[in-house]
Amino acid sequence: MRLNRILCVLSVCLLSYSGMAQKKYTVHRKNRIYLGITGGMNFSAAHVVEDYNLLMITPQSSATNSEAEKDYQPLFKNKGSHYGLYFSFSFKNKMSIVFQPSYQTSSFNYRTAYSWSDTVNGADFGIEMMHQQKLSGVNLPLLFRWDFTISQFSPYIQGGIYANFRHQAKKTIFYDYTIDEDVDKKTADKTGEADLTQHINKGNFGLSAGVGFTYFANYFAISLESNFRYGFRSIVNDQNRYADYTGFSVQYLDVMDQLKLMNLDIQLTLMFPIDNSISLGILRKSRH
């Protein structure tokens, strides 16, 4: 929540400068290099390629088929964070190439529920679980950026490719004994955090595209942007799918589907010209 507020305040501040900057200044960025730091939040969504389950549905259990399926949480329910470095080179005033290596933690969650009936003793049992997966790794996007203006306040679009390399993955299951399509993480019981790393493929690659705006000053520039990424490769290791590295497969009937991951990030970047003595000349008053 604190990060959300900071980003909102900075957005308002940058927008408040835009009118004045558009009228008074132009920014000459050709052949300029910027280095900086970046960080923010991200949200993930799973695209299921193929379903997998440990239990086989039988005609006798057809009335509870929906309870055996995984219910994936929507994009903004799966939060993560990232931080890293920024590098850009402008080969034209409005065109530049951007490299943003970062360390990213993303997550995706799904819900499962199971119920059994003991026809001999007349007893019923049910359990509902929220499976939380956290994936961490190095993200390497290479983007081409096009600015709409050469003013001090400059909106832009960018797009390109990225590669991602897994570092580690963790999993936690939250559970209660009431099947009501809701597991409150604050009150539910939970397992310990288990190592999921061997279940996740080591690398991925895909496409990235985004929008943002930058405010240029003499000694620095600050950007707020959002990027969408889609990974081409499925993230679950098929060879280790049924290996019980976490200890959850038998006890909690857990096996992951095969899926691809989509990611939306919001990030703030603070960048500096490599040679500050040159930067004094980048802002020039417009004659118009």
Side-chain angles (χ1 to χ4, degrees), residues 86-228:
Y86 178 94
F87 171 87
S88 72
F89 172 73
S90 300
F91 48 91
K92 291 186 178 180
N93 274 328
K94 292 186 178 182
M95 298 184 68
S96 56
I97 186 169
V98 177
F99 180 54
Q100 292 176 297
S102 65
Y103 187 83
Q104 175 176 301
T105 298
S106 57
S107 69
F108 66 94
N109 304 278
Y110 60 85
R111 184 187 62 85
T112 60
Y114 299 97
S115 61
W116 294 268
S117 295
D118 186 342
T119 57
V120 176
N121 299 313
D124 295 327
F125 174 78
I127 184 171
E128 188 169 32
M129 296 168 281
M130 181 62 71
H131 302 253
Q132 176 182 277
Q133 289 75 210
K134 291 185 177 181
L135 315 179
S136 300
V138 178
N139 196 46
L140 303 173
L142 183 63
L143 308 170
F144 286 96
R145 165 174 161 166
W146 187 80
D147 287 74
F148 288 96
T149 72
I150 58 171
S151 62
Q152 192 174 10
F153 179 87
S154 182
Y156 60 87
I157 58 174
Q158 60 187 10
I161 58 175
Y162 81 94
N164 180 274
F165 298 95
R166 179 208 71 195
H167 173 222
Q168 63 181 4
K170 303 291 185 179
K171 182 181 180 78
T172 305
I173 298 178
F174 299 83
Y175 59 93
D176 59 33
Y177 301 100
T178 302
I179 301 179
D180 56 2
E181 298 186 358
D182 180 52
V183 178
D184 187 348
K185 294 182 179 179
K186 295 181 180 179
T187 59
D189 295 325
K190 69 175 183 177
T191 66
E193 190 175 60
D195 190 356
L196 192 69
T197 305
Q198 296 302 318
H199 287 278
I200 305 301
N201 285 321
K202 294 181 179 180
N204 207 334
F205 64 95
L207 295 178
S208 177
V211 297
F213 51 84
T214 301
Y215 175 75
F216 290 92
N218 272 330
Y219 292 97
F220 70 92
I222 186 169
S223 294
L224 183 66
E225 69 181 33
S226 178
N227 298 287
F228 177 81

Side-chain angles (χ1 to χ4, degrees), residues 40-93:
M41 68 184 76
N42 63 78
F43 306 92
S44 301
H47 171 214
V48 178
V49 177
E50 190 170 357
D51 299 318
Y52 289 89
N53 293 285
L54 283 180
L55 297 182
M56 297 294 294
I57 301 299
T58 66
Q60 291 79 12
S61 61
S62 60
T64 59
N65 277 358
S66 60
E67 295 176 359
E69 296 176 355
K70 299 179 182 68
D71 178 21
Y72 285 86
Q73 297 294 289
L75 180 71
F76 292 106
K77 293 287 187 178
N78 305 316
K79 296 180 181 179
S81 62
H82 58 275
Y83 54 90
L85 302 175
Y86 178 94
F87 171 87
S88 72
F89 172 73
S90 300
F91 48 91
K92 291 186 178 180
N93 274 328

